[in-house]
Amino acid sequence: MNVLLMAYGTPYTPEEIEPYYTDIRRGRRPSEELLEELEGRYAAIGKSPLNEITLAQAVRLQALLNLEAPAYPKRLLGPFGPRTPQGPARVYVGTKHWHPTLGEAVAAMHEDGVRRAVAIVAAPHYSLRSVAEYQEKVEAALKALPEPIDFVWVESYEAHPGLIAAYARRLEEAIWRLRDPKRAAYIFTAHSIPLAAVERGDPYPRQVERTAELIAKRLGLPRHHVAYQSAGRTPEPWLGPDINELLRRLREEGYEEAVVQAVGFPADHLEVYYDLDLEAQATAAEVGLRLLRARSLNADLDYIQVLKDLVEAAWLR
């Protein structure tokens, strides 16, 4: 079994921020103002652990797949499947905007003789601005190969029972720290996307809301809100409400405590540390609202088990 595990990617050093940002902007170098802003954000959090977390996810997923390897149907054996029913699993990492790039990962898979693989992004919700762009980059990489690789895609898993349970477990930890859970506000966040994508029928907001609804139902929350963060620095309108706007509104409505959970981001990275732990916390302090954040899934075993379930189900298609 072969797996391509994908994540956004992040620069390792300050010197890598400019080429990283240029790649995000599809080859257009950012203005000095934009570059300084992003450099300032990275300086404020110290370092994003996203690359290390993604590698840890891959190592643990590979170990779990090999530890509990299922017996595959004979129809999957041969040149496009494992050599034996319990053939060793191998997980490759490719990132959308840094190294190893998706092109580098796909090339490495081909060089290793991979001709069939499961492709999965370490993010549970499909969007034209996320998973679809990963697919475009993989397709571009395949065009450079002398032989194709048959990728079976896991496009979303917003309602996977294991994912909901993992998120609920961490949210419950935060709830125990509240002074009065019945009077608190519960906020689920995800990365904002341009409204134009939503108007074209992007299922992303519905999937984010579904995840939030299932977590809230599992924990019996009295109320919950969905907010968005990390909107791009472009003039076009982005999906809201913004987390900071929502925090101000909640305080005006009389809330004194709130818990935020970043359901759109399984791993800690810049958008979690800066947008929530620094910026949203500053907004909350400004308006007199106590804000707690539920910890992320990262490379914890319960999340790796979710990835394993998804990969094995896709492999058997």
Side-chain angles (χ1 to χ4, degrees), residues 98-157:
W98 204 234
H99 300 284
T101 66
L102 291 174
E104 292 166 344
V106 170
M109 296 174 78
H110 184 271
E111 186 175 341
D112 289 345
V114 174
R115 297 298 178 267
R116 186 175 191 272
V118 175
I120 184 168
V121 181
H125 308 105
Y126 178 89
S127 171
L128 299 173
R129 292 294 295 263
S130 62
V131 176
E133 292 185 352
Y134 285 90
Q135 292 173 322
E136 290 173 7
K137 285 180 175 283
V138 168
E139 287 299 319
L142 288 174
K143 292 179 180 178
L145 302 179
E147 299 169 295
I149 298 176
D150 177 22
F151 279 107
V152 183
W153 283 83
V154 177
E155 293 192 338
S156 65
Y157 47 100

Side-chain angles (χ1 to χ4, degrees), residues 146-176:
E147 299 169 295
I149 298 176
D150 177 22
F151 279 107
V152 183
W153 283 83
V154 177
E155 293 192 338
S156 65
Y157 47 100
E158 73 282 355
H160 187 285
L163 179 78
I164 301 305
Y167 275 135
R169 191 174 299 118
R170 286 155 182 78
L171 182 54
E172 191 170 31
E173 293 172 0
I175 291 174
W176 278 102

Side-chain angles (χ1 to χ4, degrees), residues 9 34 73 86 89 98 104 217 230 232 273 280 287 290 307-308:
L34 288 175
Q86 288 80 29
W98 204 234
E104 292 166 344
K217 182 178 180 180
S230 318
Y273 285 169
V287 299
R290 181 175 182 237
L307 296 178
K308 172 182 177 290

Side-chain angles (χ1 to χ4, degrees), residues 1 58-70 72 86-91 308 312:
M1 180 190 301
V59 169
R60 293 179 179 180
L61 175 58
Q62 179 171 298
L64 198 59
L65 286 168
N66 285 311
L67 181 66
E68 303 176 8
Y72 300 111
Q86 288 80 29
R90 185 162 182 181
V91 180
K308 172 182 177 290
E312 289 181 342

Side-chain angles (χ1 to χ4, degrees), residues 254-273:
Y255 288 97
E256 297 180 355
E257 292 183 298
V259 180
V260 61
Q261 182 167 50
V263 295
F265 306 103
D268 287 325
H269 63 307
L270 178 69
E271 279 77 6
V272 173
Y273 285 169

Side-chain angles (χ1 to χ4, degrees), residues 21 24-25 28 34 37 129 191-196 230-239:
Y21 204 177
I24 291 175
R25 293 169 54 83
R28 294 178 291 109
L34 288 175
E37 180 186 17
R129 292 294 295 263
H191 200 298
S192 182
I193 61 172
L195 276 178
S230 318
R233 300 299 189 268
T234 62
E236 61 185 323
W238 286 64
L239 181 64

